[in-house]
Amino acid sequence: PGTGDVQLSLAQAVPITGAIVVTTPQDVSLADARKAISMFKTTSVPVLGIVENMSVFTCPHCEETTPIFGHGGGEAVAKTLDVPFLGRVPIDPEIRAGGDSGKPTLAHTPDSKTAVAFQEILKNVAAQISIRNFETTTPAGVQA
């Protein structure tokens, strides 16, 4: 998180296909996301998009959805700064449990709503990388 020396050094020293900025819907996190996007643009690192983490919580008992940290801020920042919005990751205790046990949600429960959200984000990231690769390898004047 943030735009500290580590991020800046990596952006300057390592060849990078692009950056994915992850934010929560909270204003303070969105401010950091804006700074990160600005830093990446300044260092000529393409921003592949924004992911909104901890977007909503769905009660496992009643299925009621609650935007604990707000909702939609990541998408709004993406639109304002003209970068792709890659998707939302819900708050899901299974993500933490899977991380602790070494059983990622995508592999352990591939049909869950959370796994589907990750799959959507992965699809969008792959699309942005494909676009980036096309833009950097297509000779000038050639149209697709």
Side-chain angles (χ1 to χ4, degrees):
T3 56
D5 290 338
V6 172
Q7 293 86 347
L8 186 57
S9 293
L10 280 172
Q12 293 172 334
V14 178
I16 298 174
T17 299
I20 297 170
V21 176
V22 180
T23 184
T24 63
Q26 296 167 282
D27 288 342
V28 68
S29 183
L30 296 169
D32 281 345
R34 285 184 198 93
K35 288 178 190 174
I37 290 168
S38 176
M39 180 199 69
F40 288 126
K41 288 183 176 182
T42 299
T43 57
S44 299
V45 173
V47 177
L48 300 175
I50 294 179
V51 172
E52 184 175 284
N53 194 19
M54 296 192 285
S55 184
V56 296
F57 173 75
T58 302
C59 176
H61 306 290
C62 70
E63 297 293 316
E64 182 178 343
T65 300
T66 305
I68 294 172
F69 298 107
H71 181 74
E75 188 170 9
V77 166
K79 189 174 187 175
T80 300
L81 298 179
D82 195 29
V83 298
F85 181 69
L86 302 172
R88 292 179 176 85
V89 178
I91 298 172
D92 184 346
E94 292 300 316
I95 295 172
R96 190 233 8 112
D100 288 349
S101 69
K103 298 176 184 173
T105 301
L106 203 52
H108 187 62
T109 54
D111 296 326
S112 68
K113 288 181 181 179
T114 300
V116 169
F118 279 123
Q119 290 168 355
E120 182 70 16
I121 291 166
L122 291 170
K123 180 184 81 172
N124 291 334
V125 169
Q128 290 304 313
I129 291 172
S130 293
I131 291 166
R132 170 81 178 128
N133 286 341
F134 179 78
E135 290 173 348
T136 59
T137 60
T138 304
V142 175
Q143 293 186 5

